[in-house]
């Protein structure tokens, strides 16, 4: 939890939701720069976040910011009994090769963990999204947080989490969804890998709802959705169709100004220009 030093209290709050990125060894640290951190984290932020720590950018703007480790990431990563000390302690000196070795193993085991969860009778999205709703619950216990002014933002799987959190929880006043608006039919043809898997799919959802339909459940909550036209994870035609559907839903609900969908000529990232638009959106509504 990051608390602004000089902002009037109670302050507005933002739930910052970290990505997947195939990078499991750390979670919240991907968007919260820490003293004496491993250089690989700064490299990751340069690739995906314009070199910025978005949680720190937000706290400097006067928000109380909370970031949790998603299940299977960071402090909640899967460790085995015979794992060596460096994977357990995550020192700043950990080499890139060792980091990659852990991330590779975690990636290979992700589907096994997903199958195990389903066999046990619950779902990975159920755990992930419940955690995010409980994060809202936690913010409401803090006297330094204004319970009427809570927003959320995330990139990639963080964007999926932001979309679902706004849909599931009426206490969210505004959401920013970056790098995750798509359509199941388009994705199923050519883009299954990295976008449709145990961490993201609610079983049977598509019998009733596509991704933009889920997002529309957030109405009238303001939602900014950003995708890159060069993002190879998503079918561009499907993204465009999803944007059109989501805008049509908000228009039909009588709040067309509460939805903004934007393309940037970029790959899968949340760069400085996107961030400027996102922070203006949150400032307007939270």
């Amino acid at each position: 939890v990051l608390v602004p030093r000089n902002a009037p209290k109670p302050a507005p709050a933002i739930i910052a939701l970290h990505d997947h990125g195939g990078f499991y060894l750390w979670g919240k640290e991907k968007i919260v720069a820490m003293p004496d951190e491993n250089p690989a984290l700064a490299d990751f932020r340069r690739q995906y976040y314009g070199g910025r720590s978005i949680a720190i950018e937000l706290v400097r703007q006067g928000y109380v910011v909370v970031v949790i480790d998603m299940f299977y990431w960071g402090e909640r990563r899967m460790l085995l009994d015979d794992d060596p000390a460096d994977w357990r302690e995550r020192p700043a000196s950990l080499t890139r090769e060792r980091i990659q070795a852990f991330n590779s193993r975690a990636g290979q085991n992700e589907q096994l963990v997903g199958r195990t969860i389903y066999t046990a009778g619950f779902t990975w999205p159920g755990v992930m999204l419940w955690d995010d709703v409980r994060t809202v619950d936690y913010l409401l216990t803090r006297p330094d947080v204004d319970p009427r002014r809570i927003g959320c933002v995330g990139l990639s799987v963080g964007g999926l989490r932001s979309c679902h959190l706004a849909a599931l929880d009426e206490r969210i006043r505004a959401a920013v969804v970056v790098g995750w608006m798509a359509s199941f039919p388009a994705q199923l043809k050519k883009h299954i890998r990295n976008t449709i898997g145990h961490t993201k799919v609610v079983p049977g959802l598509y019998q009733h709802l596509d991704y933009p339909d889920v997002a529309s459940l957030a109405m009238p909550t303001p939602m900014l959705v950003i995708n890159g036209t060069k993002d190879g994870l998503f079918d561009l035609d499907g993204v465009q169709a999803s944007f059109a559907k989501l805008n049509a839903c908000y228009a039909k609900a009588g709040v067309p100004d509460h939805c903004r969908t934007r393309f940037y000529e970029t790959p899968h990232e949340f760069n400085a220009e996107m961030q400027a638009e996102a922070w203006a959106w949150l400032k307007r509504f939270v």
Side-chain angles (χ1 to χ4, degrees):
V1 179
L2 308 177
V3 180
R5 285 198 180 107
N6 301 316
K9 305 295 191 305
I14 300 294
I15 300 170
L17 302 156
H18 74 73
D19 57 83
H20 184 303
F23 194 121
Y24 306 83
L25 194 59
W26 285 278
K28 57 185 176 291
E29 293 86 357
K30 291 193 277 184
I31 56 175
V32 183
M34 304 293 284
D36 302 319
E37 67 180 11
N38 190 286
L41 287 162
D43 290 344
F44 188 89
R45 284 193 292 274
R46 276 191 288 271
Q47 180 176 358
Y48 291 106
Y49 294 96
R52 297 180 174 186
S53 165
I54 63 168
I56 292 176
E57 293 289 326
L58 286 164
V59 77
R60 287 174 176 161
Q61 296 177 38
Y63 299 101
V64 173
V65 182
V66 60
V67 189
I68 68 168
D69 282 331
M70 188 165 63
F71 170 71
Y72 202 67
W73 270 258
E75 293 180 33
R76 304 169 75 186
R77 67 194 182 281
M78 184 177 74
L79 290 169
L80 304 179
D81 291 343
D82 58 351
D83 276 347
D86 61 350
W87 283 359
R88 294 182 177 278
E89 298 166 7
R90 302 180 298 176
S93 59
L94 193 64
T95 66
R96 297 179 189 280
E97 291 75 19
R98 293 294 294 153
I99 293 170
Q100 180 54 42
F102 181 89
N103 289 336
S104 177
R105 187 191 73 179
Q108 292 167 5
N109 283 307
E110 184 177 316
Q111 303 305 316
L112 174 62
V113 173
R115 292 196 300 272
T116 304
I117 286 173
Y118 284 7
T119 303
F122 58 104
T123 71
W124 199 313
V127 175
M128 178 175 70
L129 303 175
W130 177 250
D131 286 346
D132 295 338
V133 171
R134 292 291 289 150
T135 304
V136 182
D137 293 342
Y138 165 71
L139 284 175
L140 297 187
T141 70
R142 295 185 61 93
D144 55 358
V145 169
D146 184 342
R148 300 163 298 176
R149 301 176 65 193
I150 298 174
C152 57
V153 58
L155 163 69
S156 196
V157 169
L160 177 141
R161 293 164 68 194
S162 185
C163 171
H164 281 71
L165 182 56
L168 289 167
D169 199 316
E170 294 181 352
R171 297 170 296 182
I172 296 296
R173 292 295 303 272
V176 177
V177 178
V178 184
W180 203 281
M181 182 51 61
S183 174
F184 273 116
Q187 292 300 107
L188 287 168
K189 286 184 179 180
K190 299 180 181 178
H191 294 78
I192 293 178
R193 188 181 181 194
N194 298 325
T195 63
I196 295 179
H198 290 294
T199 56
K200 311 170 194 78
V201 175
V202 178
L205 176 67
Y206 185 51
Q207 296 178 40
H208 309 284
L209 301 170
D210 199 357
Y211 275 129
D213 301 315
V214 172
S216 74
L217 296 176
M219 298 184 303
T221 299
M223 183 176 291
L224 169 64
V225 184
I226 297 172
N227 272 64
T229 58
K230 299 176 183 178
D231 189 336
L233 294 179
F234 302 101
D235 177 87
L236 187 57
D237 290 340
V239 177
Q240 291 173 329
S242 297
F243 279 9
K245 177 182 276 191
L246 187 56
N247 280 298
C249 288
Y250 271 81
K252 186 174 182 180
V255 286
D257 61 323
H258 281 200
C259 180
R260 181 188 297 170
T261 55
R262 292 272 280 131
F263 278 117
Y264 283 77
E265 296 293 324
T266 64
H268 192 67
E269 66 180 9
F270 188 18
N271 63 32
E273 186 181 359
M274 296 170 173
Q275 289 170 36
E277 182 170 8
W279 308 157
W281 184 263
L282 292 172
K283 183 178 180 179
R284 177 182 171 189
F285 290 110
V286 177

